[in-house]
Amino acid sequence: MTTYVNASCQCELNAFRVAFDTASLPISNEICHCSTCRHSSGQMALAHVTIKGVPLVRANGLSVHSSRSPNTTTYKTSPDATRYFCTSCSAQLFWVHHVNGGDIWNVAVGVLERTEGVVRRTHHIWVGDTLDGGAADHLQVVAGLRLPRYKEGEGSEVLPVGWRADRLACAAENPTTKEQLKAFCHCGNVSFIITRPSEASFAPSAAYPDLLFPYNVSHMSKIINANDEKWWLRPKSSPHPTKYLAGHWHCVCSRCRLGGGFEIQSWTYVSRANVIEVGSEEPIELVHEADRPKGLRQYSSSPGKYREFCSTCGATAFWWHANRPDLIAVAIGLLDQGKDGVRAEEWLKWHKERLSFIENAKMSSGAVQGLKEGMASESDLELEVASGVISQN
């Protein structure tokens, strides 16, 4: 017997049905943290699941036997692997493994209409590529199952929570790495540098994000940030901040899930004055078409809200709002892990008390709950260290 599940991107230009052997459900699924997945998507991790046969394109309510929609772009990350993403909204859709003269199709878990009873997350792979554990430190348990954290593929060395590569210690000692943090997509067409907070970082004004004050229960008088707090800078209220606020937000809402292809999307808010295009000494330009980076393509996810992505490899790079163009969200998956690890904790202050729009998470409740609990446990550990309850060693 065969079970069919619908899949689509955020803009709905790509709509598919994918097939699974019913007897194999739920399928054990890995969460991949490899550098290729991160830099070709902008996500901190990706998850794909193998399907039966090829995707069926849905059109006018019908399914057609075709593996290719005219609205997808292909990108080869290696000689034996091809990725498909939406040409319009950048959603990561499929990963195809070319092996033994044939193709094995895998669909991005985030674009599936449903995952409960279909996908069972069982382990992390290629955690070693993160150099600091990446998002695997935040997502430790799903539906009661503690996920092994394999350094490379399944069955390789298992890394403990809190692991950090030795070579990051050497990078931290190099003063040339402390004031600039490079970010880049897999193909290299989108490449930029983040600089430390400066006087210009205080210039933008912005309402609070849902990450800090839940929009479904917070009064508008609070959300509008009437006191003009520069909430994206850390330490909070410091005259000399050194970090930017980061978190898993816009991550579990359907818009970002379908736009990115994974249930968890992670961003850091940075003033545009501190995002410098490589090869230029000026802040990156996103509004005026003539001055925009040539490799970027823009998608309007809703009126006045824009997602920017690489037109070649599909990696999400930025999200910004027309009402505040000088404060942009940067996709954390693009950060150069070789400088400070994927979580870039010398640059970013992670908000661990809340996942943005978690109330809208109608899918993958186990993964969302696991992420929430993982962030909370890490926050509790930090408090114990700070209070001296346990040693930092």
Side-chain angles (χ1 to χ4, degrees), residues 53-104:
V54 300
L56 308 178
V57 178
R58 288 186 289 133
N60 300 320
L62 302 176
S63 298
V64 182
H65 284 270
S66 171
S67 61
R68 177 72 190 272
S69 162
N71 302 307
T72 60
T73 298
T74 59
Y75 175 69
K76 290 186 73 67
T77 51
S78 68
D80 60 355
T82 301
R83 296 174 188 248
Y84 288 71
F85 66 91
C86 175
T87 304
S88 173
C89 71
S90 81
Q92 299 289 318
L93 297 169
F94 300 101
W95 171 71
V96 183
H97 188 197
H98 311 296
V99 58
N100 297 328
D103 292 337
I104 300 175

Side-chain angles (χ1 to χ4, degrees), residues 119-333:
V119 177
R120 180 173 180 262
R121 293 152 193 82
T122 55
H123 56 282
H124 296 284
I125 60 172
W126 293 100
V127 176
D129 275 14
T130 69
L131 303 185
D132 66 354
D137 276 19
H138 294 166
L139 184 58
Q140 301 177 27
V141 178
V142 174
L145 175 67
R146 183 165 294 278
L147 309 187
R149 304 145 50 85
Y150 295 110
K151 185 175 184 178
E152 296 179 353
E154 184 179 4
S156 63
E157 177 187 355
V158 175
L159 298 175
V161 175
W163 168 84
R164 191 172 174 86
D166 292 339
R167 69 186 181 94
L168 284 182
C170 298
E173 295 172 359
N174 185 350
T176 62
T177 68
K178 292 186 176 182
E179 300 307 315
Q180 293 187 344
L181 180 61
K182 189 175 181 181
F184 52 90
C185 68
H186 187 268
C187 71
N189 279 350
V190 175
S191 184
F192 56 93
I193 291 170
I194 297 175
T195 60
R196 291 288 185 184
S198 59
E199 184 177 349
S201 308
F202 289 84
S205 295
Y208 290 112
D210 179 89
L211 180 72
L212 298 179
F213 293 101
Y215 284 178
N216 65 323
V217 296
S218 301
H219 197 279
M220 183 57 68
S221 61
K222 181 65 177 179
I223 294 173
I224 63 173
N225 188 14
N227 293 327
D228 196 22
E229 180 187 6
K230 309 304 179 181
W231 48 263
W232 54 93
L233 300 175
R234 292 295 188 272
K236 187 177 180 181
S237 302
S238 170
H240 303 292
T242 59
K243 298 183 181 183
Y244 299 100
L245 179 68
H248 303 298
W249 72 85
H250 296 297
C251 53
V252 293
C253 67
S254 61
R255 181 171 294 130
C256 278
R257 175 177 56 80
L258 294 177
F262 188 46
E263 299 109 316
I264 302 166
Q265 182 146 354
S266 311
W267 303 94
T268 179
Y269 271 117
V270 182
S271 46
R272 190 173 63 87
N274 299 101
V275 181
I276 312 298
E277 185 180 3
V278 170
S280 170
E281 296 182 357
E282 298 297 323
I284 198 164
E285 177 57 60
L286 299 176
V287 177
H288 301 101
E289 186 64 31
D291 299 321
R292 285 168 47 84
K294 303 303 181 185
L296 276 184
R297 179 170 292 168
Q298 187 179 94
Y299 169 68
S300 179
S301 56
S302 59
K305 298 177 181 178
Y306 302 98
R307 179 188 290 264
E308 306 278 355
F309 64 97
C310 174
S311 58
T312 299
C313 67
T316 295
F318 309 111
W319 182 93
W320 60 282
H321 196 299
N323 290 340
R324 53 166 197 249
D326 288 331
L327 182 64
I328 60 179
V330 176
I332 292 176

